[in-house]
Amino acid sequence: MASGTPVGQSGNTFTYRSTAPVASYATTLAVGRYRKLAATGPRGIPVTTWYRAKDAQYLPMFKRSPAFLTWLEERFGPYPFDSTGLVMVESNSAMETQQMVTLGEVQPARGDQMFDLTTLHEYAHHWFGDAVTLTDWRDMWLNEGWALYVQKLYEKDRYGLSDAELVKSSRQRDGELRKEYGPPSKPDRAEFGATNVYTCGAAMLRQLHQALIDAWLDSPTTPPETGPLPR
């Protein structure tokens, strides 16, 4: 299994193709005895989950991918690629590998809510991090800040996280993380990928959302016709 869209098999050779550019860090390859779960996402997008026999207990979770993609499309426009899905691997982490999210086996074991938030986060990266990617690693906050903020919006929508709770926790952690790891656009080199590039960026985006979008929605004047507003 690999990132991209499967286009055929000849003997022991499997071919995957992407019609869009792919950043090298956003590719994946998994080899093993996999089972296939095929589904259809919004606008007919093929959604494929590759799982091992021991992962079968989590099939109800895996079947939520089309719903995640629908939620994301309603807010950020069409999914940017030709296909998508998940591949389960022996890992503790998850990664936004383009068109085929790499999901560590511990993720579904953490329970329904954490599985949903983690998987939604990785799918969100296909808009923020994959379709639009960074120039160098100092810009990592643009990937992770956006994906975490989208995750928090989903948590508000589906799991009852209040805006007050989001703002309070973000402000507190922002100061702590900047002190420990540096500002998100100039982090401590020894702490690559630390939480500051996630939380501090997401906190800034919440402030921009509040200042630009919420203020616009609350305005007594009618906004210009510019298409759907972010939620």
Side-chain angles (χ1 to χ4, degrees):
M1 277 53 69
S3 46
T5 301
V7 293
Q9 176 184 350
S10 176
N12 292 326
T13 300
F14 298 79
T15 302
Y16 291 78
R17 181 172 296 135
S18 176
T19 59
V22 185
S24 58
Y25 75 90
T27 62
T28 192
L29 172 68
V31 179
R33 295 185 179 276
Y34 279 93
R35 300 177 180 183
K36 179 180 180 180
L37 172 66
T40 302
R43 299 176 298 103
I45 298 168
V47 182
T48 306
T49 298
W50 298 99
Y51 66 99
R52 294 81 49 89
K54 62 182 179 180
D55 305 317
Q57 61 183 308
Y58 302 122
L59 278 171
M61 294 183 179
F62 300 152
K63 291 178 181 179
R64 296 175 194 153
S65 284
F68 296 148
L69 294 165
T70 298
W71 188 93
L72 288 162
E73 281 207 351
E74 288 173 351
R75 287 152 181 81
F76 304 110
Y79 175 76
F81 306 108
D82 297 331
S83 64
T84 193
L86 306 171
V87 58
M88 296 297 298
V89 297
E90 294 179 357
S91 170
N92 292 328
S93 64
M95 181 68 185
E96 65 271 20
T97 38
Q98 190 168 306
Q99 295 181 246
M100 183 62 66
V101 168
T102 305
L103 198 67
E105 60 190 355
V106 304
Q107 299 302 326
R110 296 167 70 195
D112 282 289
Q113 181 171 342
M114 288 308 301
F115 173 85
D116 286 0
L117 297 179
T118 301
T119 307
L120 188 283
H121 177 109
E122 303 306 338
Y123 279 133
H125 269 304
H126 285 70
W127 283 260
F128 307 107
D130 292 359
V132 178
T133 195
L134 45 76
T135 300
D136 71 40
W137 291 111
R138 290 173 297 180
D139 297 330
M140 187 176 178
W141 71 271
L142 286 165
N143 291 7
E144 299 300 348
W146 270 105
L148 180 61
Y149 185 52
V150 173
Q151 174 187 323
K152 292 298 183 182
L153 292 177
Y154 185 85
E155 191 174 359
K156 285 177 60 180
D157 190 38
R158 298 298 167 91
Y159 286 101
L161 177 70
S162 72
D163 198 60
E165 290 170 332
L166 170 59
V167 171
K168 181 179 179 181
S169 63
S170 295
R171 285 180 175 169
Q172 178 180 345
R173 290 296 290 147
D174 181 83
E176 294 169 350
L177 292 167
R178 286 174 184 272
K179 183 177 180 180
E180 185 172 1
Y181 299 115
S185 63
K186 195 177 180 180
D188 183 339
R189 293 188 178 189
E191 300 290 350
F192 177 79
T195 314
N196 59 332
V197 300
Y198 292 74
T199 300
C200 299
M204 182 198 71
L205 290 167
R206 174 61 199 131
Q207 292 298 105
L208 289 173
H209 192 161
Q210 188 174 39
L212 300 176
I213 303 302
D214 293 352
W216 186 13
L217 291 172
D218 292 338
S219 172
T221 59
T222 303
E225 292 294 332
T226 58
L229 291 171
R231 299 184 184 180

